[in-house]
């Protein structure tokens, strides 16, 4: 079996909790692949980043989005709905990363075509391990779609 070359990825983290942002950064810093973690704090900023509007006109198109559900100004569900309804963004992998373990949130996220649903562990060490497992699977094992599909 041939070795895959793993290119650095751009990850958009949509998270309003500074502690969770810090732990996510810490998890990515321990990696030997120089992935770039972009962070926005609410749903409106997330859509501006994804559509390269306003302060994010020069933002790269992320390879994958980590999306919290409980966000100010525009919820994660609303962001996910808009992403899936947009022809240019509809193939973008979106992983819900939230503290909610509510069955209805899990079901609703998959109904809106989230690619995965991860529950944030309360324990900081477990949180970092969850992010590292996400990184291994989504950025090293999975083949992501190209930025532009002809």
């Amino acid at each position: 079996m041939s070795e895959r070359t793993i290119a650095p990825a751009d990850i958009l983290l949509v998270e309003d909790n500074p502690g969770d942002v810090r732990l996510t950064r810490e998890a990515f810093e321990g990696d030997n692949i120089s992935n770039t973690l972009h962070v926005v704090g609410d749903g409106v900023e997330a859509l501006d980043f994804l559509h390269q509007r306003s302060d994010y006109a020069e933002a790269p198109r992320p390879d994958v989005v980590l999306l919290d559900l409980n966000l100010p100004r525009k919820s994660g569900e609303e962001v996910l709905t808009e992403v899936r309804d947009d022809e240019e963004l509809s193939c973008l992998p979106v992983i819900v990363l939230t503290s909610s373990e509510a069955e209805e949130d899990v079901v609703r996220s998959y109904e809106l075509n989230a690619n995965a649903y991860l529950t944030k562990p309360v324990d900081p060490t477990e949180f970092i391990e969850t992010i590292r497992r996400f990184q291994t699977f989504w950025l090293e094992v999975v083949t992501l779609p190209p930025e532009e599909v002809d």
Side-chain angles (χ1 to χ4, degrees):
M1 189 164 153
S2 65
E3 289 259 337
R4 271 186 52 187
T5 302
I6 301 166
D10 281 296
I11 300 107
L12 176 60
L13 174 63
V14 187
E15 175 61 67
D16 64 320
N17 181 320
D20 290 348
V21 170
R22 183 185 54 76
L23 289 171
T24 303
R25 284 190 193 284
E26 187 176 324
F28 277 101
E29 286 170 0
D31 191 23
N32 58 0
I33 300 167
S34 57
N35 294 315
T36 303
L37 184 65
H38 306 274
V39 180
V40 296
D42 64 50
V44 171
E45 281 186 83
L47 291 168
D48 285 347
F49 188 101
L50 292 169
H51 290 291
Q52 298 169 312
R53 301 185 292 229
S54 191
D55 293 341
Y56 302 102
E58 300 299 318
R61 175 64 50 90
D63 297 294
V64 65
V65 176
L66 285 170
L67 178 65
D68 189 16
L69 289 180
N70 303 308
L71 297 167
R73 299 202 303 162
K74 193 172 281 258
S75 74
E77 278 190 12
E78 291 172 299
V79 171
L80 185 54
T81 298
E82 288 191 39
V83 166
R84 292 302 181 236
D85 288 344
D86 185 297
E87 191 174 305
E88 290 182 26
L89 299 174
S90 63
C91 288
L92 181 64
V94 177
I95 289 67
V96 172
L97 178 65
T98 187
S99 56
S100 173
E101 294 182 27
E103 185 176 310
E104 59 268 17
D105 287 340
V106 176
V107 170
R108 182 70 179 137
S109 294
Y110 283 115
E111 286 175 346
L112 294 172
N113 296 311
N115 295 89
Y117 189 100
L118 300 175
T119 303
K120 298 176 196 172
V122 175
D123 178 73
T125 303
E126 290 178 23
F127 184 102
I128 289 171
E129 184 56 33
T130 297
I131 296 299
R132 288 189 175 147
R133 280 190 249 147
F134 149 80
Q135 186 172 343
T136 298
F137 182 73
W138 281 99
L139 303 177
E140 296 177 25
V141 177
V142 170
T143 300
L144 296 171
E147 183 176 324
E148 294 184 27
V149 181
D150 294 330

